[in-house]
Short mmCIF file of all heavy atoms in Angstrom, two decimals:
data_model
loop_
_atom_site.label_atom_id
_atom_site.label_comp_id
_atom_site.label_asym_id
_atom_site.label_seq_id
_atom_site.Cartn_x
_atom_site.Cartn_y
_atom_site.Cartn_z
N LYS W 1 7.20 6.93 -2.03
CA LYS W 1 6.81 6.04 -1.00
C LYS W 1 8.14 5.51 -0.35
O LYS W 1 9.03 5.27 -0.97
CB LYS W 1 6.03 4.83 -1.68
CG LYS W 1 5.50 3.74 -0.78
CD LYS W 1 4.87 2.64 -1.47
CE LYS W 1 4.71 1.34 -0.63
NZ LYS W 1 3.33 1.21 -0.14
N ILE W 2 8.02 5.37 0.94
CA ILE W 2 9.18 4.76 1.73
C ILE W 2 8.60 3.73 2.59
O ILE W 2 7.52 3.88 3.18
CB ILE W 2 9.88 5.94 2.59
CG1 ILE W 2 10.49 6.93 1.68
CG2 ILE W 2 10.83 5.29 3.57
CD1 ILE W 2 11.09 8.06 2.41
N MET W 3 9.32 2.60 2.72
CA MET W 3 8.93 1.55 3.62
C MET W 3 10.12 0.90 4.17
O MET W 3 11.16 0.83 3.66
CB MET W 3 7.96 0.58 2.92
CG MET W 3 8.50 -0.08 1.69
SD MET W 3 7.30 -1.22 1.02
CE MET W 3 7.69 -2.65 2.00
N ASN W 4 9.92 0.23 5.27
CA ASN W 4 10.98 -0.52 5.86
C ASN W 4 10.88 -1.95 5.62
O ASN W 4 9.77 -2.59 5.95
CB ASN W 4 11.11 -0.20 7.44
CG ASN W 4 11.88 1.03 7.72
OD1 ASN W 4 12.97 1.12 7.28
ND2 ASN W 4 11.25 1.98 8.40
N ASP W 5 11.97 -2.64 5.19
CA ASP W 5 11.79 -4.07 4.86
C ASP W 5 12.74 -4.71 5.90
O ASP W 5 13.91 -4.29 6.31
CB ASP W 5 12.40 -4.31 3.53
CG ASP W 5 12.22 -5.67 3.09
OD1 ASP W 5 11.12 -6.04 2.64
OD2 ASP W 5 13.18 -6.55 3.13
N PRO W 6 12.24 -5.77 6.47
CA PRO W 6 13.09 -6.55 7.57
C PRO W 6 14.50 -6.99 7.00
O PRO W 6 15.33 -7.12 7.72
CB PRO W 6 12.28 -7.67 7.99
CG PRO W 6 11.18 -7.82 7.04
CD PRO W 6 10.88 -6.38 6.38
N TYR W 7 14.52 -7.23 5.64
CA TYR W 7 15.67 -7.70 5.09
C TYR W 7 16.55 -6.67 4.38
O TYR W 7 17.81 -6.62 4.59
CB TYR W 7 15.50 -8.98 4.18
CG TYR W 7 14.59 -10.01 4.87
CD1 TYR W 7 13.31 -10.13 4.59
CD2 TYR W 7 15.24 -10.75 5.81
CE1 TYR W 7 12.56 -11.07 5.21
CE2 TYR W 7 14.48 -11.82 6.51
CZ TYR W 7 13.11 -11.96 6.16
OH TYR W 7 12.43 -12.88 6.70
N ALA W 8 15.86 -5.85 3.71
CA ALA W 8 16.61 -4.99 2.81
C ALA W 8 16.82 -3.54 3.49
O ALA W 8 17.47 -2.60 2.87
CB ALA W 8 15.93 -4.74 1.53
N GLY W 9 16.26 -3.33 4.67
CA GLY W 9 16.30 -2.00 5.25
C GLY W 9 15.26 -1.06 4.66
O GLY W 9 14.19 -1.44 4.32
N GLN W 10 15.68 0.22 4.55
CA GLN W 10 14.71 1.28 4.11
C GLN W 10 14.62 1.17 2.69
O GLN W 10 15.65 1.33 1.93
CB GLN W 10 15.13 2.60 4.69
CG GLN W 10 13.92 3.59 4.49
CD GLN W 10 14.42 5.07 4.80
OE1 GLN W 10 15.42 5.51 4.27
NE2 GLN W 10 13.63 5.60 5.65
N LEU W 11 13.49 1.12 2.00
CA LEU W 11 13.31 1.04 0.60
C LEU W 11 12.53 2.41 0.14
O LEU W 11 11.58 2.63 0.73
CB LEU W 11 12.49 -0.12 0.10
CG LEU W 11 13.00 -1.49 0.31
CD1 LEU W 11 11.89 -2.57 0.04
CD2 LEU W 11 14.20 -1.64 -0.45
N SER W 12 13.12 3.11 -0.88
CA SER W 12 12.50 4.28 -1.34
C SER W 12 12.09 4.00 -2.70
O SER W 12 12.82 3.71 -3.49
CB SER W 12 13.62 5.38 -1.23
OG SER W 12 14.23 5.41 -0.01
N TYR W 13 10.72 4.30 -2.93
CA TYR W 13 10.21 4.09 -4.30
C TYR W 13 10.37 5.43 -5.13
O TYR W 13 9.98 6.36 -4.50
CB TYR W 13 8.75 3.73 -4.20
CG TYR W 13 8.37 2.36 -3.69
CD1 TYR W 13 8.66 2.01 -2.30
CD2 TYR W 13 7.84 1.45 -4.58
CE1 TYR W 13 8.41 0.68 -1.99
CE2 TYR W 13 7.63 0.16 -4.07
CZ TYR W 13 7.89 -0.31 -2.81
OH TYR W 13 7.60 -1.51 -2.34
N ILE W 14 10.89 5.32 -6.27
CA ILE W 14 11.19 6.50 -6.97
C ILE W 14 10.57 6.58 -8.37
O ILE W 14 10.76 5.41 -8.97
CB ILE W 14 12.69 6.99 -6.95
CG1 ILE W 14 12.96 8.24 -7.62
CG2 ILE W 14 13.50 5.76 -7.62
CD1 ILE W 14 14.28 8.87 -7.25
N ARG W 15 9.97 7.56 -8.84
CA ARG W 15 9.64 7.56 -10.22
C ARG W 15 10.65 8.48 -11.01
O ARG W 15 10.69 9.79 -10.55
CB ARG W 15 8.21 8.17 -10.35
CG ARG W 15 7.75 8.77 -11.67
CD ARG W 15 7.52 7.73 -12.69
NE ARG W 15 7.59 8.24 -14.10
CZ ARG W 15 6.69 8.73 -14.95
NH1 ARG W 15 5.51 8.60 -14.56
NH2 ARG W 15 6.90 9.10 -16.11
N ILE W 16 11.22 8.01 -12.02
CA ILE W 16 12.32 8.93 -12.67
C ILE W 16 11.49 9.63 -13.83
O ILE W 16 10.82 9.00 -14.65
CB ILE W 16 13.32 7.90 -13.34
CG1 ILE W 16 14.01 7.06 -12.27
CG2 ILE W 16 14.45 8.77 -14.04
CD1 ILE W 16 15.07 7.58 -11.45
N TYR W 17 11.84 10.92 -13.87
CA TYR W 17 11.23 11.71 -14.94
C TYR W 17 12.22 12.01 -16.05
O TYR W 17 11.88 12.25 -17.22
CB TYR W 17 10.59 13.06 -14.49
CG TYR W 17 9.39 12.79 -13.55
CD1 TYR W 17 9.37 12.84 -12.16
CD2 TYR W 17 8.14 12.51 -14.26
CE1 TYR W 17 8.28 12.65 -11.45
CE2 TYR W 17 6.98 12.31 -13.47
CZ TYR W 17 7.01 12.44 -12.21
OH TYR W 17 5.86 12.09 -11.38
N SER W 18 13.45 12.08 -15.63
CA SER W 18 14.58 12.40 -16.63
C SER W 18 15.84 11.89 -16.05
O SER W 18 16.10 11.67 -14.81
CB SER W 18 14.57 13.91 -16.64
OG SER W 18 15.89 14.45 -17.05
N GLY W 19 16.78 11.44 -17.00
CA GLY W 19 18.00 10.91 -16.58
C GLY W 19 17.96 9.53 -16.28
O GLY W 19 17.04 8.85 -16.45
N LYS W 20 19.14 9.00 -15.66
CA LYS W 20 19.20 7.69 -15.26
C LYS W 20 19.70 7.50 -13.84
O LYS W 20 20.46 8.44 -13.30
CB LYS W 20 20.48 7.06 -16.07
CG LYS W 20 20.01 6.70 -17.58
CD LYS W 20 21.11 6.03 -18.22
CE LYS W 20 20.94 5.98 -19.78
NZ LYS W 20 22.06 5.72 -20.58
N LEU W 21 19.34 6.47 -13.25
CA LEU W 21 19.65 6.18 -11.74
C LEU W 21 20.51 4.89 -11.70
O LEU W 21 20.04 3.85 -12.20
CB LEU W 21 18.42 6.02 -10.85
CG LEU W 21 18.62 6.04 -9.44
CD1 LEU W 21 19.00 7.49 -8.94
CD2 LEU W 21 17.17 5.83 -8.82
N LYS W 22 21.68 5.09 -11.11
CA LYS W 22 22.64 3.80 -11.14
C LYS W 22 23.08 3.75 -9.65
O LYS W 22 23.17 4.74 -9.00
CB LYS W 22 23.88 3.99 -12.06
CG LYS W 22 23.48 4.19 -13.37
CD LYS W 22 24.82 4.10 -14.28
CE LYS W 22 24.61 4.29 -15.71
NZ LYS W 22 25.32 5.44 -16.38
N PRO W 23 23.41 2.55 -9.28
CA PRO W 23 24.00 2.36 -7.88
C PRO W 23 25.21 3.11 -7.91
O PRO W 23 25.89 3.30 -8.83
CB PRO W 23 24.30 0.88 -7.89
CG PRO W 23 23.54 0.20 -8.81
CD PRO W 23 23.27 1.23 -9.91
N GLY W 24 25.53 3.89 -6.73
CA GLY W 24 26.64 4.66 -6.50
C GLY W 24 26.48 6.20 -6.99
O GLY W 24 27.28 7.10 -6.75
N THR W 25 25.28 6.47 -7.63
CA THR W 25 25.12 7.91 -8.03
C THR W 25 24.89 8.76 -6.87
O THR W 25 24.24 8.38 -5.88
CB THR W 25 23.80 7.93 -8.90
OG1 THR W 25 23.78 6.96 -9.85
CG2 THR W 25 23.58 9.32 -9.65
#
């Protein structure tokens, strides 16, 4: 899912199946 937020900009909803997600990845 992708949505635009007036404050945060574009938000992408992600479901992680494996591994880790960190800022800067």
